[in-house]
Amino acid sequence: MLAVLRNRSYRHLFAAQVVALVGTGLATVALGLLAYDIAGPDAGSVLGIALAIKMAAYVTIAPAVGALAGGLPRKALMLSADLTRAGVALLLPFVDQVWQVYVLVFVLQSASAAFTPAFQAVVPEVLPEERDYTRALSMSRLAYDLESLFSPALAAALLSVITYNGLFTGTALGFLASAALVVSAVLPPVRRVRAGGARARAAAGTRLFRTVPALRALLALDLAVAAASATVTVNTVVYVRGFLDLPTGAVPLALGAYGAGSMTVALVLPRLLDRVPDRTVMVRGAALLAVVFAALGAVTGAGGAGGGANNDWRWAALLALWAAFGAACAMVLTPTGRLIRRAAPAEARTAAFAAHFSLSHGCWLLTYPLAGLLGATAGLGWAVAALGSITLGAALAAVRLWPAPPPPPPPGLPAGHPHPARARGVRPGRRRHHGTLTDGARARS
């Protein structure tokens, strides 16, 4: 997998992604501490609104930027986004009003909504071979997982020697380093976009997700992943502290199990995708998510903390289920870029990635509050049942929207022969039943 780092341009882009992710992780920790300083006990509601603003920015800004940026130099676009994010990070320590937090978070996440689709669109041009691109997708998945594991630990270490305002400085330095790496990367020239205004280009990206069967199914798969990741992100602390009555230190262990499952699959998938179709891996990943929800429902229904060995098996089960959630999500998410790359012409690729960025985050905008509100008002069991039902329905919809390709014709048959279209597999040693042919079909065969 590391062989793709021999490509200098991709190596610099990947490094830019990693340092920007670390900066974002530090900002997340610092923002929580800033919210507490400003709002005190209401810090949770401030962060909840900030998270909603983040998702709203992703859903609304990404398609517009993707359309406007169709003919712009990608390097200039990513550089501008990084510089904007660095500027916002440097302003955050001077904030003393809640509304100022909301405004700066919107600007910060709008810049991220510009950077990410442009980055996603340029990587397949830097690595045109599908084998290399697949490995780059796995590297990106690993980068996200490692950031979720190590950024909180890095923030904790830094907070032992500096104040949380210093974390915002670290965030700004991360974005500035990302900008420098983007400048040093040699990118392919921008392809001239087809005629049409920005609105038409934005519609073209969305239209692909309405007309291409694999991309329609991808949105259903995104919904399944959003339901699972919302359960982990929102309710991990509820399971650990409330359901199992474990100490605070167990929360990062549970989140680490999710990341470990995702990283394990991300390491294995490149070789697997060389032999197995994307559809098989992604649909089975969604099916696994539904199975894990069923198991989580059984564990949740077993009751709360009982102490001793009775609690030990629930804790072990939760860690295993969180790892399975991470593995299944990675099975769905890692091949996503390959699908979009195949479906979108080169000149529409930025708009297509921007449309997917927006639509997929719309799924999170739905599942995040659903997981939190149901868990708080109706209980964890109902939250698991609702989100598990969404996952199962999304997995079934993906199978229906993205039919399996027909089997290859038997050797020796002429092209256009009606046999392959109606053929069904039989067990070895049995004769194949052809059915009754009409006169026209008999004449053609």
Side-chain angles (χ1 to χ4, degrees), residues 291-396:
V291 171
V292 177
F293 265 115
L296 180 61
V299 172
T300 305
N310 194 35
N311 214 35
D312 289 344
W313 78 264
R314 293 190 185 96
W315 173 232
L318 186 71
L319 291 177
L321 291 173
W322 259 223
F325 267 141
C329 287
M331 290 173 67
V332 176
L333 292 174
T334 303
T336 293
R338 289 161 49 115
L339 291 186
I340 300 174
R341 179 196 190 192
R342 293 169 185 157
E347 66 272 14
R349 198 166 284 156
T350 301
F353 275 103
H356 177 253
F357 187 80
S358 172
L359 294 169
S360 62
H361 281 85
C363 296
W364 270 283
L365 190 58
L366 168 68
T367 56
Y368 273 142
L370 185 61
L373 291 174
L374 278 178
T377 59
L380 289 173
W382 284 105
V384 171
L387 292 166
S389 298
I390 290 173
T391 297
L392 179 60
L396 294 174

Side-chain angles (χ1 to χ4, degrees), residues 208-253:
L208 285 170
F209 285 86
R210 294 200 310 265
T211 57
V212 179
L215 296 186
R216 290 204 303 269
L218 177 58
L219 293 182
L221 295 170
D222 284 332
L223 181 59
V225 169
S229 61
T231 297
V232 173
T233 302
V234 174
N235 285 329
T236 292
V237 66
V238 182
Y239 271 102
V240 171
R241 300 289 288 132
F243 181 73
L244 296 175
D245 195 25
L246 295 174
T248 304
V251 174
L253 291 178

Side-chain angles (χ1 to χ4, degrees), residues 31-60:
L31 191 61
L33 297 171
L34 173 65
Y36 189 82
D37 266 3
I38 294 175
D42 294 330
S45 63
V46 172
L47 289 176
I49 295 173
L51 182 62
I53 290 173
K54 170 183 175 179
M55 292 300 171
Y58 283 175
V59 170
T60 57

Side-chain angles (χ1 to χ4, degrees), residues 3-230:
V4 293
L5 294 177
R6 295 172 186 165
N7 183 303
R8 180 181 181 276
S9 294
Y10 174 71
R11 184 170 66 249
H12 285 214
L13 289 173
F14 179 70
Q17 180 190 26
V18 169
V19 296
L21 284 173
V22 172
T24 302
L26 295 178
T28 300
V29 175
L31 191 61
L33 297 171
L34 173 65
Y36 189 82
D37 266 3
I38 294 175
D42 294 330
S45 63
V46 172
L47 289 176
I49 295 173
L51 182 62
I53 290 173
K54 170 183 175 179
M55 292 300 171
Y58 283 175
V59 170
T60 57
I61 299 298
V65 172
L68 293 171
L72 297 178
R74 275 77 53 90
K75 183 181 290 188
L77 178 62
M78 290 188 286
L79 176 62
S80 299
D82 271 338
L83 293 178
T84 299
R85 294 191 290 185
V88 170
L90 291 174
L91 288 175
L92 279 169
F94 302 100
V95 165
D96 58 4
Q97 299 291 325
V98 170
W99 69 267
Q100 296 169 345
V101 173
Y102 296 154
V103 170
L104 290 178
V105 165
F106 181 79
V107 175
L108 177 68
Q109 302 305 335
S110 297
S112 295
F115 180 92
T116 303
F119 174 87
Q120 292 173 332
V122 78
V123 170
E125 296 185 16
V126 171
L127 299 172
E129 294 294 329
E130 184 162 287
R131 179 183 175 89
D132 292 336
Y133 181 52
T134 302
R135 280 146 181 78
L137 293 174
S138 290
M139 293 280 287
S140 291
R141 184 76 253 147
L142 284 172
Y144 280 106
D145 293 332
L146 288 171
E147 183 276 323
S148 66
L149 288 174
F150 293 121
S151 285
L154 176 61
L158 290 174
L159 286 172
S160 65
V161 294
I162 61 175
T163 66
Y164 73 82
N165 282 334
L167 296 184
F168 288 122
T169 302
T171 298
L173 291 175
F175 290 137
L176 290 174
S178 173
L181 288 163
V182 167
V183 169
S184 65
V186 179
L187 304 184
V190 179
R191 297 175 184 267
R192 187 176 300 277
V193 299
R194 292 192 295 265
R199 181 177 299 179
R201 291 195 293 273
T206 306
R207 191 181 305 117
L208 285 170
F209 285 86
R210 294 200 310 265
T211 57
V212 179
L215 296 186
R216 290 204 303 269
L218 177 58
L219 293 182
L221 295 170
D222 284 332
L223 181 59
V225 169
S229 61

